[in-house]
Amino acid sequence: LILIVDGLAFGGMKYVFHLDFSQEYRQVETVDQLRFWDRWSEKVYIRYPFGLKPIEKRKDVPTKEIPALSWLDADVYDVTDSGELAAWYDWKEDAVFIGNTKGEIQETFDVIYDVQKLAFSPDGRYLLVYEIDYRGEITDDEYCYYLVIDLDEGMRYTVYSGYREWFRVYWETG
């Protein structure tokens, strides 16, 4: 009984305080520029060793205009660009493609879950991939993963994950 109560208490604390003890995020050099915004509380969070830590309140956060790339088809869910580099998620292929703005694919990264957001880091070295695992067909049982792909090394790092932890994520510039 004590284990059940402790488990429930920890689960509640993890959700309320945005706890995540994984340390993969340390591999991303510019993780200090990554922001997680909760629109309901209007709080902006950064990653720190125990999860997410609030740093400020904002009514809204910067949004990047979605590039209009005429060669994209209707299966593409999200697209972002950084200079001549573009990234797009094709839900039928279950993959994120990286290439140039003309549509020439340079790299492909398979994804496990549904991608909600893509965003290049300001220096163009990293690509943020926000995925949601819809575990239940009828329920709202959703687990969120915030991954960063190091485009130089081809490595993926989970910078944060949590049950129903929906954030608008972006890279702070300047």
Side-chain angles (χ1 to χ4, degrees):
L1 182 64
I2 292 174
L3 290 175
I4 293 171
V5 171
D6 285 348
L8 290 173
F10 179 74
M13 286 176 40
K14 183 177 180 342
Y15 182 73
V16 170
F17 296 111
H18 308 293
L19 299 177
D20 182 350
F21 297 106
S22 65
Q23 298 298 303
E24 276 188 33
Y25 77 94
R26 293 177 183 264
Q27 304 299 317
V28 180
E29 291 176 16
T30 57
V31 75
D32 60 326
Q33 292 177 293
L34 193 56
R35 300 293 187 264
F36 299 80
W37 181 64
D38 178 13
R39 100 182 136 143
W40 290 285
S41 69
E42 297 181 345
K43 289 182 183 176
V44 176
Y45 297 86
I46 58 169
R47 187 65 166 94
Y48 84 118
F50 304 112
L52 298 181
K53 177 171 82 174
I55 58 168
E56 66 181 335
K57 284 191 101 163
R58 284 190 184 175
K59 295 263 184 227
D60 202 1
V61 294
T63 57
K64 184 171 169 64
E65 188 174 311
I66 295 175
L69 304 174
S70 60
W71 48 265
L72 288 175
D73 65 23
D75 297 332
V76 171
Y77 181 79
D78 193 23
V79 61
T80 188
D81 65 345
S82 176
E84 290 298 310
L85 202 56
W88 60 96
Y89 166 60
D90 186 320
W91 64 273
K92 282 190 176 176
E93 299 288 330
D94 279 332
V96 170
F97 297 96
I98 311 240
N100 61 29
T101 54
K102 296 176 184 146
E104 298 165 341
I105 298 171
Q106 297 168 355
E107 289 186 76
T108 303
F109 295 93
D110 292 331
V111 294
I112 299 171
Y113 309 114
D114 294 333
V115 172
Q116 302 297 308
K117 178 74 178 161
L118 299 171
F120 281 106
S121 62
D123 63 3
R125 177 177 174 185
Y126 300 103
L127 178 68
L128 172 78
V129 180
Y130 166 30
E131 295 181 82
I132 295 182
D133 175 11
Y134 295 102
R135 295 179 182 189
E137 294 296 322
I138 300 172
T139 65
D140 289 339
D141 194 11
E142 298 146 358
Y143 208 82
C144 304
Y145 297 91
Y146 300 87
L147 312 170
V148 170
I149 299 173
D150 183 330
L151 299 175
D152 291 345
E153 305 290 327
M155 298 293 296
R156 298 177 202 213
Y157 304 105
T158 301
V159 293
Y160 184 71
S161 64
Y163 173 71
R164 302 185 90 190
E165 297 277 346
W166 307 296
F167 293 100
R168 185 182 300 172
V169 285
Y170 63 98
W171 297 90
E172 188 71 52
T173 57

